[in-house]
Each structure stands twice: as structure tokens, then as C-alpha cells.
Amino acid sequence: MPTPKVEDWLCIAKGFYQSAQFPNCIGALDGRHILGKKPPHSGSRYFNCKQYFSVVLMALVDSNYRFVIVDIEAYGRTSDARVFSASRMGERFYTNQLALPKPRKLPGPDDPPAPFVIVADKGFALSSHMMRHFPRHDLDDQKCICYYRLTRAHRYVERTFGILSTKWRVFMSSIQMNTENATLPVYSYTTSPGFMMLPLMQMLTKI
């Protein structure tokens, strides 16, 4: 899967601002457990907190329900934050190798330039290019609006996983192969050229 260029990130940010009113957003990030059979001699590495064996699909998606970057090799027992930080995607993100655009002024008349960010849930750590929700207590009006818009932007990755499962029902049950090998069909489904070129919502209407 090719890494987006600066103009690609700007296009993604435009989509999120138009659909979720969240400026300078270059993607929604989350992980999903892909069920599989326990590999021989793997111990508890693939056994997750939900009491089944899995690998983790870590995905960054845009506002058109497209996968932008994916990683599909982490053990099921690993938390989303650790999966991301240990992945090739996370490594390039934290070492500034993703060719992100330079900070851009926010829409308000007096707002200063702000960096482009990925939106994630509370399982991820804050950074200069990663935003997560405020703790839900003692929020003033401005923070409530920010919380609402960030949540709306983050829902795109959750919906993308849901549409993926609806389109390919194999993701609704356990893939009948060793969890180590289950990464192959998952990677094929999420990164094939035809799949990447057509928004998931449009594909869903053709079922």
C-alpha cells in the first residue's frame, strides 16, 4: 500500500472537514480483532482480552471509508496503543516519515496554525499529531463541541470496519486457518487496488 503524499493528506483533511467539521484531520485510527484458530505452540500470544484467538488489524481510514494505511500482524493479546507504536505505521508516524503537511491555520478568524492530526480513542497516547477524547467530566461548551466533532470524525473507522464485515462475512466469524496465516486474506481484502479505488459504501450498495 503506497504511503500518501502531502497532497493526498490535504485531500483527506478536506474530506473530514466537510463531513465531520473537524479541521486538519488526516485520518481516523483504530484496531479490530480478526478471529482465527490458535497456531501450534503459540501459547497465549494470540489470546485476547475478549477470550478468543486473534490478530489485530490496525487501520487508518479517510472520510470516504477507504483504508489509507493498515498493519495486520500484531498478536491479539496486545493493546491497540502498543500495536500502533510497534507497527511500521506507528514507527513512521512517530519519526515524522509520513510526509505530513505543515501546520495550517484553523478556520476561525483568530485561530493560530495547528498541526494535522490523526483522531483516535482513549486507548492511544496524545502527541503533536494524535488527538483523543477529553475525559468526560467538567467539560465547558468549547470542549463539548470539540468532543462531539472528534467523536464524529473517529466514527468513520468504526463504520469502515462494520462495512468491511458486511461486505465479506468471513470477518463476522473465525477465519478457519491459523491466526498467523489469517493475515494474508485480511491484507488482500484491505489493500487490493480495486478495493482501494472504490469507496466501501459504494461497494456495499452492490451486494
Side-chain angles (χ1 to χ4, degrees):
M1 179 178 292
T3 301
K5 300 178 181 179
V6 172
E7 53 268 26
D8 298 321
W9 292 122
L10 292 173
C11 184
I12 292 172
K14 181 180 179 181
F16 272 106
Y17 186 58
Q18 291 176 340
S19 60
Q21 288 72 58
F22 197 93
N24 289 19
C25 177
I26 54 171
L29 178 73
D30 208 351
R32 178 186 174 91
H33 288 279
I34 306 297
L35 284 70
K37 296 173 65 176
K38 179 182 180 297
H41 315 296
S42 61
S44 61
R45 286 178 294 180
Y46 292 94
F47 195 69
N48 63 40
C49 61
K50 299 180 180 180
Q51 308 297 304
Y52 55 79
F53 295 95
S54 66
V55 290
V56 179
L57 166 60
M58 182 63 56
L60 182 71
V61 309
D62 66 13
S63 61
N64 289 315
Y65 307 99
R66 290 187 177 99
F67 290 99
V68 179
I69 307 176
V70 297
D71 182 88
I72 324 170
E73 298 182 358
Y75 299 137
R77 65 180 295 181
T78 312
S79 67
D80 284 349
R82 290 182 60 188
V83 170
F84 180 69
S85 61
S87 68
R88 176 62 176 157
M89 179 190 351
E91 178 186 346
R92 299 182 69 184
F93 174 78
Y94 287 119
T95 56
N96 299 316
Q97 297 181 37
L98 289 180
L100 301 183
K102 294 181 179 180
R104 186 172 65 180
K105 188 178 182 298
L106 296 176
D110 300 320
D111 290 335
F116 286 81
V117 297
I118 290 171
V119 294
D121 62 24
K122 61 183 180 180
F124 294 84
L126 283 170
S127 74
S128 58
H129 292 288
M130 177 85 74
M131 285 195 70
R132 48 171 283 183
H133 301 88
F134 289 106
R136 293 196 65 178
H137 54 81
D138 299 328
L139 298 183
D140 58 26
D141 290 344
Q142 288 187 335
K143 289 183 178 180
C144 282
I145 293 172
C146 179
Y147 185 99
Y148 168 72
R149 292 188 178 182
L150 191 152
T151 300
R152 185 162 55 183
H154 185 257
R155 283 177 182 163
Y156 280 92
V157 67
E158 299 170 356
R159 292 170 183 165
T160 302
F161 288 147
I163 297 168
L164 179 70
S165 298
T166 303
K167 174 64 179 178
W168 286 288
R169 299 302 178 92
V170 65
F171 293 109
M172 290 187 172
S173 59
S174 176
I175 298 177
Q176 294 304 303
M177 59 175 62
N178 288 344
T179 308
E180 291 173 325
N181 299 327
T183 59
L184 300 177
V186 177
Y187 192 79
S188 177
Y189 285 131
T190 56
T191 64
S192 63
F195 184 86
M196 293 299 296
M197 291 173 62
L198 191 62
L200 276 172
M201 190 63 75
Q202 185 177 346
M203 294 179 69
L204 187 60
T205 63
K206 295 183 178 182
I207 296 178

